[in-house]
């Protein structure tokens, strides 16, 4: 299976992307290289490989989940760009 320029244009149209001719040509090349690599990977025997949840071991990268004191109300509002006495003030987004 290979990707054609028409395939790239079709997908770009679905995604509402406007691509130049150079970008289309580059994507055809890139996508075909990806498909070639996937074909190579399909040739590997993975019957004895255990599935992974993560590529790296995250067990040691996450901090312990420990309860801490909550941030004081005044301390939280001190970092707000705009606040009234009790709340963060944000620009109105709905008219």
């Amino acid at each position: 299976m290979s990707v054609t320029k028409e395939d790239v244009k079709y997908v770009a149209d679905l995604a509402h992307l406007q691509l130049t001719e150079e970008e289309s040509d580059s994507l055809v090349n890139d996508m075909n290289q990806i498909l070639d690599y996937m074909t190579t990977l399909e040739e590997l025997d993975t019957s004895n490989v255990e599935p992974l949840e993560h590529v790296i071991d995250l067990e040691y990268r996450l901090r312990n989940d420990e309860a801490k004191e909550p941030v004081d109300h005044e301390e939280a509002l001190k970092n707000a760009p705009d606040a009234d006495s009790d709340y963060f003030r944000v620009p109105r987004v709905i008219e």
Side-chain angles (χ1 to χ4, degrees):
M1 176 182 184
S2 66
V3 176
T4 65
K5 200 168 193 175
E6 289 75 30
D7 295 330
V8 169
K9 287 182 179 182
Y10 177 72
V11 173
D13 186 48
L14 290 176
H16 301 288
L17 299 174
Q18 295 178 350
L19 301 175
T20 65
E21 288 298 316
E22 295 83 23
E23 290 171 329
S24 294
D25 292 338
S26 177
L27 283 172
V28 168
N29 184 39
D30 292 347
M31 293 175 85
N32 281 320
Q33 285 181 355
I34 292 169
L35 289 175
D36 289 343
Y37 184 68
M38 295 306 294
T39 302
T40 302
L41 290 178
E42 286 177 348
E43 296 171 3
L44 296 175
D45 178 21
T46 59
S47 58
N48 294 326
V49 177
E50 194 158 329
L52 296 174
E53 289 181 13
H54 298 284
V55 176
I56 58 173
D57 184 16
L58 294 178
E59 183 176 339
Y60 301 108
R61 299 191 186 278
L62 302 176
R63 65 173 171 80
N64 290 334
D65 189 14
E66 298 173 355
K68 295 183 179 181
E69 289 296 317
V71 176
D72 182 64
H73 188 77
E74 288 81 26
E75 186 73 22
L77 288 177
K78 184 172 73 173
N79 293 319
D82 190 16
D84 65 13
S85 61
D86 292 325
Y87 303 102
F88 289 95
R89 296 192 90 158
V90 295
R92 179 180 218 141
V93 293
I94 300 176
E95 297 297 324

